[in-house]
Every structure is written in C-alpha cells, then in structure tokens.
Amino acid sequence: MSLKNLLTICTLILPILLLGCKKDKCPQFSNDDVWACYNEKTWDSLQIKNTLIGEWKWACINCSSISEMVDDNRFDGLTIDFNSNNSLEVKEDGQTTQTSTWKVVYGNLGFFRIDVSPAVDQLDGIILLCDDRLEFQLSQIDLCDNHFIRKD
C-alpha cells in the first residue's frame, strides 16, 4: 500500500473515530426517557403553568445539526424563575438580567410552548416536563434543545 493510499484511508477514518468518541452533552436528558416520562401524564395548559412555577437552573444544550459549533457551557450560571403572576426573571450568576412575561400556549405539533415577551432564547420550543427536568425542544426542526433542572 502506498503512502498516498494510507493517508487517504486515515483521512477518511479519523473523523469517524473522533465522532464515535463524542461524549453525550446531556446524559441526564435522554430524549427517549424524557418523552416517555412526559407522556405518562395528560397535560393541559394549567398543569404546565403550575409545574413551571419556581426556579430552574440551565443544565445543558443539545443541538441536532450544529453540535460542533455550540459552546456546551455558554449558559452556565443561568436560571429562570417562573412566577405565578406570569412574570419571569432571567438570572446570570444570581443577578437578574431580564424580566419578561410568559404565557403557556398550545403550540405546533400538538404540544405546549410558552410565549415570552421580551423573548428568552433558551425558552423557545415545545415543553417537555419530567419530574425535576424541563426541556425546551427544537431538535424536531434541527435546532437546539435547552435543558433545565428544578432548583431546590
């Protein structure tokens, strides 16, 4: 085998090996598990609202088609505090950086989402709730899913 052929083979195999070793960015948020857990209940907008009320800590982000371009830790320290009066506070490292209003709405694909004004990028997508986990999912349209964990 010539050196040129060997280099060609290595060039083709190396990216496959590196992608195969890629770690799961959100191990506590298996899509199958979150979907199954969410579907154990029959949700309505009031149940979604009442479950969202409280403080949620951003945990991780998964992006379906642009995962290599996303900084996994870019929102570390971000929390969202959903209030019962339909206001919310976005906090970074404990400091309020934005206040918005929010409302649960029946969204596309037969799932719930929230309208937020002014918008908060991490809260875009369909809502999946499971115990102390919250996902705003946009992977169904090849964008990112933002995952949160309820703060104690």
Side-chain angles (χ1 to χ4, degrees):
M1 179 180 304
S2 73
L3 182 57
K4 182 178 178 182
N5 288 343
L6 184 60
L7 287 174
T8 302
I9 291 171
C10 287
T11 303
L12 295 173
I13 292 177
L14 187 60
I16 293 169
L17 292 174
L18 290 175
L19 288 174
C21 296
K22 189 172 147 185
K23 67 176 182 147
D24 185 0
K25 296 177 183 177
C26 300
Q28 72 272 37
F29 287 94
S30 156
N31 269 346
D32 291 340
D33 291 346
V34 173
W35 273 103
C37 179
Y38 175 82
N39 286 316
E40 287 175 3
K41 295 182 180 179
T42 302
W43 295 93
D44 63 31
S45 59
L46 185 59
Q47 288 172 307
I48 296 282
K49 177 184 177 177
N50 289 337
T51 305
L52 285 175
I53 293 171
E55 192 169 14
W56 296 85
K57 180 181 186 265
W58 183 87
C60 55
I61 189 168
N62 264 345
C63 298
S64 57
S65 62
I66 57 172
S67 60
E68 296 306 316
M69 298 172 8
V70 173
D71 176 4
D72 297 345
N73 302 314
R74 66 181 162 169
F75 303 120
D76 280 352
L78 179 79
T79 59
I80 309 290
D81 194 357
F82 291 94
N83 300 307
S84 60
N85 66 357
N86 290 81
S87 67
L88 66 78
E89 292 179 59
V90 178
K91 297 177 183 176
E92 293 180 24
D93 299 319
Q95 300 298 314
T96 300
T97 58
Q98 179 178 334
T99 58
S100 296
T101 59
W102 65 282
K103 178 182 178 183
V104 176
V105 296
Y106 196 66
N108 59 346
L109 305 174
F111 291 93
F112 292 95
R113 62 181 187 80
I114 57 174
D115 280 341
V116 180
S117 181
V120 177
D121 289 340
Q122 298 81 7
L123 306 182
D124 195 10
I126 63 173
I127 297 170
L128 298 176
L129 288 155
C130 178
D131 303 323
D132 64 346
R133 297 174 290 172
L134 166 62
E135 180 176 327
F136 289 94
Q137 189 182 75
L138 285 174
S139 58
Q140 75 277 7
I141 57 171
D142 291 334
L143 294 174
C144 299
D145 301 334
N146 280 280
H147 305 274
F148 292 82
I149 298 174
R150 184 179 294 281
K151 281 189 79 172
D152 295 331

